[in-house]
């Protein structure tokens, strides 16, 4: 697509429920990133994909968080048994390759509110 | 570990010039980038410095000194629409080769 598309744009859920957030990167972009941004805060790195593999999972906050990417395109970030501290905007970004690209293109984000 | 430091807030008036500094500590380094984020919006790329020196793009310029682990974003002829948060980011190629680490952000308020 023309840009990075994320869905849902807003998600309100109850504590303890599972949520899935989706990211559709720019066509041809092989690198994909997930970041978390709490209100008024910076961007916290979660995970990075090159193709379908995730060489860097160091940022996932707990084992309740997981992510996958299929076909080198769409990625899903899953949060199980959501907690109130998971409330944040989850941003996805993509870039052309893992070596020469220095520009991340971000989606508009998925705002998650855990009640 | 990796860390970046930026001032939390900067205020300036329309037409003025403002400089936002960024210092970093990383295990590896492959360039300093700057992103702009308006409230409720997505971060958008502004500039990238891979080598020492000044890069100019219209009203915005960015500078890098690798020996000092320091860079800055310079915004000239400030406009109200420049009110936003600005993030520096370092690409660390030694940590699995691809991590972009972002600073905490600087909130710029432009006053009339």
């Amino acid at each position: 697509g023309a840009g990075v598309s994320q869905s849902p744009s807003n998600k309100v859920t109850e504590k303890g429920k599972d949520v899935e957030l989706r990211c559709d990167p720019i066509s041809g972009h092989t690198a994909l990133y997930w970041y978390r941004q709490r209100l008024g805060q910076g961007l916290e790195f979660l995970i990075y994909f090159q193709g379908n593999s995730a060489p860097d999972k160091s940022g996932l906050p707990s084992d309740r968080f997981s992510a996958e990417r299929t076909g080198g395109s769409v990625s899903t970030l899953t949060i199980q048994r959501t907690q109130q501290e998971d409330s944040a905007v989850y941003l996805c970004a993509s870039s052309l390759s893992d070596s020469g690209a220095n520009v991340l293109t971000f989606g508009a984000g998925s705002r998650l509110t855990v009640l | 570990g990796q860390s970046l430091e930026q001032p939390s807030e900067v205020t300036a008036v329309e037409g003025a010039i403002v400089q936002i500094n960024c210092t970093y500590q990383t295990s590896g380094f492959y360039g300093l980038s700057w992103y702009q984020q308006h409230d409720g919006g997505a971060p958008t790329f502004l500039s990238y410095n891979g080598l020492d020196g000044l890069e100019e793009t219209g009203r915005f310029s960015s500078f890098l000194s690798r020996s000092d682990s320091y860079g800055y974003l310079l915004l000239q002829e400030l406009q109200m629409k420049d009110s936003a948060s600005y993030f520096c980011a370092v690409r660390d190629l030694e940590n699995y080769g691809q991590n972009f680490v972002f600073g905490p952000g600087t909130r710029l308020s432009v006053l009339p």
Side-chain angles (χ1 to χ4, degrees):
Chain A
V4 178
S5 177
Q6 292 188 246
S7 62
S9 55
N10 278 286
K11 176 72 176 179
V12 179
T13 191
E14 293 179 348
K15 177 182 173 181
K17 302 284 190 183
D18 298 350
V19 296
E20 282 190 356
L21 308 177
R22 175 189 166 105
C23 174
D24 197 347
I26 291 173
S27 178
H29 280 196
T30 57
L32 184 147
Y33 303 77
W34 284 98
Y35 288 87
R36 178 169 69 179
Q37 187 174 33
R38 292 196 168 101
L39 186 64
Q41 303 297 310
L43 280 71
E44 177 188 359
F45 171 79
L46 296 179
I47 191 169
Y48 148 68
F49 287 92
Q50 175 57 33
N52 291 334
S53 65
D56 191 353
K57 301 180 181 179
S58 62
L60 292 177
S62 74
D63 57 9
R64 296 186 295 105
F65 287 71
S66 62
E68 65 174 13
R69 188 180 185 192
T70 55
S73 182
V74 172
S75 175
T76 303
L77 177 69
T78 301
I79 309 173
Q80 296 178 307
R81 305 180 303 280
T82 51
Q83 303 295 311
Q84 289 183 332
E85 67 258 27
D86 300 334
S87 295
V89 175
Y90 290 81
L91 291 163
C92 174
S94 68
S95 68
L96 272 173
S97 75
D98 67 342
S99 57
N102 298 300
V103 179
L104 296 181
T105 302
F106 282 86
S110 291
R111 181 177 298 277
L112 174 65
T113 302
V114 182
L115 302 177
Chain B
Q2 304 154 321
S3 68
L4 292 88
E5 292 187 4
Q6 303 178 235
S8 58
E9 294 184 15
V10 173
T11 301
V13 296
E14 267 189 304
I17 299 173
V18 71
Q19 178 173 312
I20 300 174
N21 298 322
C22 174
T23 57
Y24 59 87
Q25 288 184 323
T26 62
S27 55
F29 178 78
Y30 197 70
L32 183 71
S33 302
W34 289 91
Y35 286 78
Q36 178 191 60
Q37 185 181 33
H38 287 98
D39 285 348
T44 56
F45 174 81
L46 288 178
S47 69
Y48 169 77
N49 293 71
L51 300 174
D52 291 351
L54 191 68
E55 294 285 340
E56 298 181 70
T57 308
R59 295 187 297 114
F60 294 0
S61 303
S62 58
F63 172 82
L64 174 65
S65 169
R66 288 173 295 173
S67 60
D68 296 322
S69 298
Y70 163 76
Y72 66 71
L73 179 69
L74 190 73
L75 298 86
Q76 303 182 74
E77 300 172 19
L78 282 174
Q79 302 176 8
M80 297 294 289
K81 66 179 182 180
D82 298 329
S83 292
S85 291
Y86 293 84
F87 296 90
C88 58
V90 168
R91 187 177 179 191
D92 182 347
L93 281 189
E94 290 191 10
N95 234 0
Y96 297 99
Q98 187 61 353
N99 195 359
F100 284 85
V101 180
F102 282 77
T106 298
R107 186 170 187 86
L108 171 64
S109 297
V110 180
L111 304 178

